[in-house]
Amino acid sequence: MERIPVFLSSDNNYAMATATTIKSCIDHTSSVVDFYVLSDSISDENQYKIRALESDKCKIEFITVDNSIFKISQTDSYVSLVTYSRLLIPNIKPDLKKVIYSDVDVLFMGDVAELYNEDLDGYIIGACKDAYYVYDKKLNNIYDRLKLDSKHNYMYAGMLLIDCNKWREENITDKLLELMKQFQGRIQQGDQDLLNICFNGNNYKELDIKYESTNGYIHFYDKLTLAQKHSVDNPVIRHYESRYKPWNSDFIFDEPMRNVKEWFDSVRTTEFLAEANNLLHSANMSFVMQGKLTQQTNECIYSIRQYFPQAEIILSTYKNINCDGLDYDKLVQIEDDVVALPYHNGKDGKIHNVNRQIATTKAGLQVVTRKYAFKLRSDFIMTGSTFLQYFDKFSKYDENYRVFCHKILCPTLFCRNPRILPFHPSDIALFGKTDDLINLFDLPYMPREEFGYWKNGENLHCRYVPEQYIWVNCLRKNGKQIDFDARQKVTKAIITETEKFFVSNFIFLSFEQFNLLAPEKFRTLEFYLKTSPHTCITHIEWQKLYQRYLDNMLVVPAKDKQRRRFNKFNRKRKIVNFIGKIITLPIIGGGIMRKVRHIIKGKLSEVLLGRILT
């Protein structure tokens, strides 16, 4: 059976990628592949994990290489010195006549034997031309910098097919080391620059780009010929060159990176499963859209697919809801039979939805298969993925007040100031570890007796509003002793307790920071008047609490645009209310006259305050 030698260069940071490269290669060939991993730093533990892939059709040998001779050439910080080791390959194994070299940030999607059996037509190496230098004329200064022939097609060095006999006959390694000294200070793309200088004038076999279908070719896809597009769409090797890798990005040039799901499918069949599952990446994320569906649900799903193409989307709703035509991955439908009573027993008592929220959220989270989960309403639109940058920020906590393994991201809207409503984080959208969200929502339903717990005037009110019920009961379930009997109880101690629990378990973000576009009703005057957003904690105010209780060295920004916007509206609201009282003073009496006064004040607010954005 044919044996194909494949050389890889790697270090400990790329151990997981190395395993994925090897696994994807052997999964797509019937040939026996001998892998030679050139490295100076892969740990014994990671070597053991990689060697676990060995079988009758796969042999793996680690070769330690001294890369110190290449230091004089290094100028680009993201290019590892270990990549230069490919320049030594024909001399490392002098018995080999022909070999393949591959970077390890690749995914094999076709048979490696197809590449190995390519005829080099007398050339020493075969390679693919670099898309950036072919299609981006701004980079043409490289020809002057490296003294390249104007007609030379600058080549990639991430995949090389090498005739080792010819390489050794012409002492190519010695020539490359000499060129390294000669061009010291002008090398920007590491050994790739050196290879292009050495084989200047297209003195190499140009191979079909299916053997190195890169991010660059995807970026310049519209400029490709039909044949090239076919190669990019049906690659033998997908190469994630430059800084954009499947394990740290979903996107390249604002468009989804290709074959990321396949990369994760491959790595999950290696001994690096745990490491892959720990990556904060859409392939490890589930979105749970819970509750009733809305006109915006389809647009919400589309936005998730756009910014989190590998994510799992779960609809958790009721059995009487029609979900036809929606692009979800899993559907959970439960009976709509939980207790739902009003906040109070007055005529305008709004329905208390805490039990329905617990039911749909818990049911959705129970079928999540990813490490991270995003719980949100079905009428919010995602506008990006930059909120992830906050997930590992503000990592300090007080163990006495900590409940979750990792802090949960939470929108500032409805995270109430505890001086007004203690223990009231928002429940509109939440992102965190799946186990933490399950911990938050794995609660018993609010019992009927808590719906008429305390009296205010003529009306009986529920003990807690939904957000309070969820958070207070989560704390108690996790062994936290809090003296908070009902929602109207506000003391100095309760305020302090609330703030300490907030900063050790949540990070509050504005809608803009959270990449959330609220539905139209959230941007109306009526919404502002009913929900009083000025009573919420802003992101900057949360930072100040974090500074006070956990990190007094934190530098908090002086300007708080969100608070300024809230206060501006609140000042206007007070002025308008005052004007309304003055104008309606002559309208005396109750009954109809009271309604007339209310209508006049409402119209006045509509005219003077108008519509504003959250």
Side-chain angles (χ1 to χ4, degrees):
M1 183 177 286
E2 184 178 36
R3 302 188 74 92
I4 299 176
V6 176
F7 281 77
L8 309 172
S9 61
S10 184
D11 58 25
N12 207 49
N13 293 324
Y14 278 74
M16 178 172 63
T18 302
T20 309
T21 297
I22 293 173
K23 186 62 167 65
S24 65
C25 181
I26 59 179
D27 281 347
H28 287 89
T29 187
S30 59
S31 302
V32 176
V33 184
D34 295 322
F35 290 97
Y36 302 96
V37 183
L38 309 178
S39 177
D40 60 355
S41 63
I42 297 181
S43 68
D44 291 342
E45 179 184 0
N46 283 335
Q47 286 190 36
Y48 178 81
K49 289 181 178 181
I50 295 170
R51 285 188 188 279
L53 294 168
E54 286 191 310
S55 66
D56 291 342
K57 59 181 292 188
C58 170
K59 300 300 179 184
I60 301 171
E61 179 182 342
F62 289 90
I63 301 173
T64 301
V65 177
D66 181 5
N67 294 306
S68 60
I69 58 173
F70 303 122
K71 286 185 178 179
I72 61 169
S73 183
Q74 179 72 350
T75 59
D76 196 325
S77 61
Y78 88 86
V79 177
S80 170
L81 276 178
V82 74
T83 65
Y84 285 84
S85 60
R86 78 191 78 182
L87 307 182
L88 308 176
I89 288 172
N91 298 333
I92 291 173
K93 289 287 182 179
D95 56 319
L96 295 176
K97 298 177 181 180
K98 186 181 184 183
V99 303
I100 292 171
Y101 167 81
S102 176
D103 282 353
V104 294
D105 52 350
V106 308
L107 180 74
F108 278 83
M109 303 185 70
D111 193 341
V112 66
E114 186 179 351
L115 169 60
Y116 187 69
N117 291 324
E118 284 281 346
D119 191 340
L120 285 175
D121 296 329
Y123 290 101
I124 297 175
I125 65 169
C128 298
K129 61 184 179 182
D130 190 315
Y132 295 101
Y133 293 99
V134 173
Y135 299 108
D136 191 345
K137 300 305 179 185
K138 296 177 182 177
L139 301 176
N140 283 347
N141 67 324
I142 192 173
Y143 288 88
D144 292 331
R145 176 168 55 83
L146 301 181
K147 298 182 179 180
L148 299 177
D149 186 287
S150 61
K151 294 183 179 180
H152 176 74
N153 285 326
Y154 187 91
M155 64 177 163
Y156 284 122
M159 181 286 299
L160 298 172
L161 184 60
I162 304 173
D163 183 329
C164 295
N165 285 339
K166 285 182 176 294
W167 180 292
R168 288 187 288 263
E169 288 170 7
E170 298 198 20
N171 297 314
I172 298 299
T173 297
D174 291 340
K175 290 180 181 178
L176 289 166
L177 293 174
E178 185 60 34
L179 287 171
M180 182 185 301
K181 297 175 184 177
Q182 184 180 338
F183 284 83
Q184 184 178 355
R186 284 184 277 175
I187 300 299
Q188 294 182 359
Q189 298 294 327
D191 56 300
Q192 183 168 280
D193 276 356
L194 289 172
L195 286 166
N196 275 278
I197 298 169
C198 185
F199 297 101
N200 187 15
N202 296 321
N203 191 24
Y204 68 95
K205 172 68 178 291
E206 186 178 315
L207 298 174
D208 192 303
I209 60 175
K210 67 182 178 182
Y211 296 122
E212 194 168 7
S213 176
T214 63
N215 295 331
Y217 278 111
I218 294 169
H219 179 53
F220 293 111
Y221 190 81
D222 291 341
K223 296 183 178 182
L224 304 182
T225 65
L226 288 176
Q228 288 175 321
K229 288 179 179 179
H230 183 268
S231 294
V232 170
D233 295 337
N234 301 276
V236 174
I237 301 174
R238 171 77 71 217
H239 185 192
Y240 303 99
E241 97 280 35
S242 74
R243 295 172 173 81
Y244 302 95
K245 313 297 183 187
W247 53 90
N248 64 18
S249 178
D250 272 318
F251 291 88
I252 174 72
F253 300 109
D254 298 323
E255 53 193 81
M257 193 182 294
R258 294 195 185 187
N259 305 116
V260 173
K261 180 181 182 300
E262 290 85 349
W263 189 90
F264 272 90
D265 287 345
S266 186
V267 72
R268 286 191 173 110
T269 60
T270 74
E271 293 295 312
F272 290 88
L273 171 64
E275 289 88 339
N277 286 339
N278 279 329
L279 295 172
L280 186 52
H281 186 285
S282 79
N284 289 330
M285 292 171 59
S286 295
F287 282 76
V288 177
M289 300 170 62
Q290 54 81 215
K292 288 187 175 181
L293 307 186
T294 68
Q295 292 181 342
Q296 291 80 33
T297 300
N298 200 41
E299 190 177 354
C300 177
I301 294 175
Y302 176 80
S303 69
I304 295 171
R305 294 289 190 212
Q306 181 181 5
Y307 294 105
F308 303 91
Q310 318 302 327
E312 173 183 63
I313 297 179
I314 299 167
L315 289 188
S316 184
T317 185
Y318 306 105
K319 287 188 176 179
N320 62 334
I321 301 294
N322 183 3
C323 302
D324 292 346
L326 296 176
D327 181 25
Y328 55 82
D329 296 304
K330 293 181 180 178
L331 175 64
V332 179
Q333 290 182 297
I334 64 173
E335 295 289 349
D336 189 7
D337 58 0
V338 298
V339 176
L341 296 173
Y343 281 80
H344 58 78
N345 62 354
K347 292 181 180 179
D348 59 343
K350 179 183 174 183
I351 294 298
H352 197 299
N353 72 344
V354 64
N355 288 343
R356 303 180 90 207
Q357 181 176 190
I358 289 173
T360 54
T361 303
K362 186 159 59 172
L365 289 171
Q366 284 173 347
V367 300
V368 165
T369 61
R370 311 289 174 84
K371 181 169 184 175
Y372 303 97
F374 196 128
K375 175 264 183 193
L376 78 164
R377 294 164 44 133
S378 64
D379 54 356
F380 274 72
I381 310 300
M382 299 301 302
T383 62
S385 59
T386 56
F387 72 87
L388 294 174
Q389 67 184 294
Y390 294 98
F391 190 61
D392 288 318
K393 282 189 174 183
F394 311 111
S395 57
K396 294 184 179 180
Y397 56 86
D398 184 335
E399 189 62 52
N400 293 321
Y401 292 90
R402 184 187 187 190
V403 170
F404 304 130
C405 295
H406 196 293
K407 289 181 185 178
I408 290 175
L409 300 184
C410 178
T412 56
L413 195 65
F414 301 143
C415 290
R416 301 293 186 184
N417 186 322
R419 288 160 180 77
I420 298 167
L421 276 176
F423 297 102
H424 193 299
S426 179
D427 60 0
I428 290 177
L430 299 164
F431 174 77
K433 289 188 174 181
T434 301
D435 289 344
D436 287 333
L437 292 190
I438 291 174
N439 185 5
L440 179 60
F441 284 97
D442 188 14
L443 303 170
Y445 295 144
M446 180 187 281
R448 285 181 176 273
E449 53 267 26
E450 290 198 11
F451 281 97
Y453 192 80
W454 61 283
K455 191 171 184 179
N456 182 22
E458 297 298 320
N459 297 327
L460 290 172
H461 289 257
C462 61
R463 184 180 186 184
Y464 302 116
V465 297
E467 296 89 344
Q468 288 177 317
Y469 179 83
I470 292 169
W471 185 223
V472 167
N473 282 278
C474 174
L475 291 173
R476 288 174 175 157
K477 178 185 70 173
N478 285 278
K480 304 302 180 183
Q481 303 297 319
I482 55 174
D483 182 20
F484 185 60
D485 293 333
R487 68 182 187 181
Q488 81 280 15
K489 183 177 181 180
V490 180
T491 66
K492 187 175 181 180
I494 286 175
I495 292 170
T496 301
E497 289 268 288
T498 301
E499 292 175 343
K500 288 184 176 181
F501 279 117
F502 275 173
V503 295
S504 283
N505 293 282
F506 296 100
I507 299 174
F508 296 164
L509 302 176
S510 68
F511 280 169
E512 183 180 7
Q513 292 169 317
F514 217 153
N515 302 124
L516 289 171
L517 177 64
E520 182 69 17
K521 67 180 182 181
F522 276 66
R523 305 194 291 275
T524 63
L525 172 66
E526 181 183 8
F527 173 82
Y528 263 73
L529 292 175
K530 283 186 175 181
T531 62
S532 304
H534 61 280
T535 64
C536 299
I537 298 174
T538 69
H539 174 68
I540 298 300
E541 289 166 346
W542 180 90
Q543 280 200 40
K544 290 178 180 178
L545 295 176
Y546 181 87
Q547 180 192 57
R548 181 192 306 170
Y549 295 116
L550 298 176
D551 186 1
N552 58 13
M553 299 300 290
L554 178 69
V555 178
V556 179
K559 294 183 179 180
D560 188 346
K561 293 181 180 179
Q562 194 176 17
R563 172 52 56 199
R564 219 165 32 186
R565 189 163 66 246
F566 286 162
N567 288 346
K568 183 179 179 181
F569 174 81
N570 197 39
R571 285 194 299 271
K572 287 183 177 181
R573 181 181 63 83
K574 289 180 178 179
I575 293 171
V576 169
N577 285 344
F578 177 75
I579 295 173
K581 288 180 180 179
I582 298 298
I583 291 175
T584 58
L585 274 177
I587 305 174
I588 302 171
I592 295 177
M593 291 295 98
R594 184 183 296 112
K595 290 183 179 179
V596 171
R597 289 196 299 271
H598 181 75
I599 291 171
I600 292 174
K601 289 178 182 178
K603 291 293 182 183
L604 185 65
S605 295
E606 215 174 288
V607 172
L608 296 182
L609 290 176
R611 296 166 65 85
I612 66 174
L613 296 175
T614 58

